[in-house]
Amino acid sequence: MADLDRSAVLSRARAAFLGLALGDALGATTEFMTPSEIRAQFKVHRQIVGGGWLHLKPGRVTDDTEMSLCVARALAAAEGWDLPAIADQFVAWMRGKPIDIGSTCRKGIRDYMLNGQLETPYNDGDAGNGALMRLLPTALFTLGDDPLLQRCAVEQAHLTHHHPLSDAACLCVGRMLHAALVGADRFALHAITRELTAQQPKFRFNDYQGHAGGYVVETLQTVFHYLFSTADFEECLIGVVNQGGDADTTGAIAGALAGAFYGEAALPRRWLRKLDPAVLEEIDGLIEPVIDLSPWALRLTTLPQEGAER
């Protein structure tokens, strides 16, 4: 694994967050469609055109990006991990009447509003992808510290989703993001997925069946299949969103991973030009404050400078 300098890691972090938003905006068009319906309407869906069941303007994002921004805002404002601050951001977001919000997320946020609950009880029905879709800021904040990732990823997940499959997915993707942000190659990322499938065999994706629903197992099978069977950022995201199903979320998660792996130069310019300018501006304003809180960045500030006395 390469060890990149601060500017390179910041660039990859920006690519990951922009990749999340691009995948969300691209996938929102084909959410809840089947692959055959997508082929009939688009042949191949490859442009950010809006529409979809939410009737979005081109470049508009959904709850995947919006909840991720909530977490990043809370981290930057608190200058550290503050679970109630994250929950408060979710409350403010929900009160703003977002264009879309998942039922499990809505229930968890309401439980916090009504009784201050920061950990929803275990529920067999909480194996959706709602905790995973907003994981990226937590991965950025915990970069360089796997025990911290384990704690924070699960804490943010349990605000709304409490299920071992959701927890395992968050930890796996968090570790993949950590590795990609500091220059890991494809083989290192694949090794992390093998750790997941050894512990939770349901996530195996070597015989991908094409299911891309909101069940977190289907989500990661779709993301991993296209991440490892394609050669660049654009090809990966086009493959993912043309599976339909929960395409905004599979697109967002794939976009975060592929962005961190391929870097900023790989992001299609035509897609970036379509992205909501307010989202682009907020992402740009949050990347550095969040990364600079990470153990990885804090260690950089304590390293001896070249030429300094030792």
Side-chain angles (χ1 to χ4, degrees), residues 16-283:
F17 220 136
L18 290 174
L20 184 155
L22 290 173
D24 183 2
L26 185 72
T29 304
T30 55
E31 187 179 14
F32 300 138
M33 296 177 72
T34 65
S36 60
E37 288 170 339
I38 295 167
R39 286 193 296 271
Q41 183 169 343
F42 299 103
K43 295 187 178 176
V44 177
H45 173 52
R46 58 175 68 248
Q47 307 295 344
I48 292 180
V49 295
W53 76 281
L54 292 169
H55 307 289
L56 298 177
K57 293 180 180 179
R60 175 79 187 270
V61 296
T62 72
D63 53 345
D64 307 87
T65 306
E66 290 171 348
M67 292 194 82
S68 297
L69 286 169
C70 285
V71 178
R73 281 185 214 119
L75 292 169
E79 298 184 350
W81 188 254
D82 187 333
L83 196 62
I86 293 171
D88 287 340
Q89 283 285 340
F90 290 166
V91 168
W93 168 71
M94 189 170 78
R95 284 178 170 161
K97 298 185 177 178
I99 194 165
D100 188 28
I101 179 171
S103 59
T104 306
C105 287
R106 183 188 298 277
K107 181 180 183 303
I109 297 168
R110 282 187 56 81
D111 286 344
Y112 170 72
M113 290 172 59
L114 295 173
N115 57 34
Q117 178 178 286
L118 287 168
E119 182 176 27
T120 192
Y122 169 82
N123 189 317
D124 279 338
D126 283 1
N129 55 25
L132 179 60
M133 73 184 189
R134 60 179 190 248
L135 178 73
L136 175 61
T138 302
L140 300 180
F141 168 75
T142 59
L143 181 62
D145 190 333
D146 188 71
L148 185 63
L149 169 69
Q150 292 180 54
R151 176 172 72 84
C152 296
V154 170
E155 284 186 4
Q156 72 84 25
H158 287 185
L159 283 169
T160 56
H161 292 67
H162 191 158
H163 194 283
L165 292 176
S166 170
D167 293 351
C170 287
L171 291 175
C172 176
V173 171
R175 287 169 175 151
M176 293 174 74
L177 287 165
H178 279 189
L181 287 165
V182 295
D185 60 21
R186 189 181 298 266
F187 301 103
L189 298 186
H190 199 277
I192 298 170
T193 70
R194 293 198 299 276
E195 293 173 10
L196 171 67
T197 57
Q199 296 167 4
Q200 297 281 0
K202 288 183 178 180
F203 285 100
R204 289 175 181 161
F205 59 96
N206 54 319
D207 185 24
Y208 178 59
Q209 298 297 305
H211 304 301
Y215 177 37
V216 74
V217 170
E218 292 184 5
T219 297
L220 278 195
Q221 287 172 336
T222 301
V223 169
F224 291 165
H225 172 75
Y226 285 101
L227 182 65
F228 294 114
S229 66
T230 55
D232 60 37
F233 177 91
E234 183 174 344
E235 186 184 2
C236 173
L237 262 65
I238 288 173
V240 166
V241 302
N242 278 273
Q243 285 300 128
D246 198 9
D248 61 332
T249 300
T250 54
I253 296 165
L257 282 167
F261 179 65
Y262 289 110
E264 281 191 80
L267 305 183
R269 300 294 106 184
R270 72 185 191 282
W271 289 357
L272 286 170
R273 286 193 293 269
K274 288 286 189 179
L275 193 61
D276 183 338
V279 170
L280 180 60
E281 181 180 0
E282 186 166 20
I283 288 172

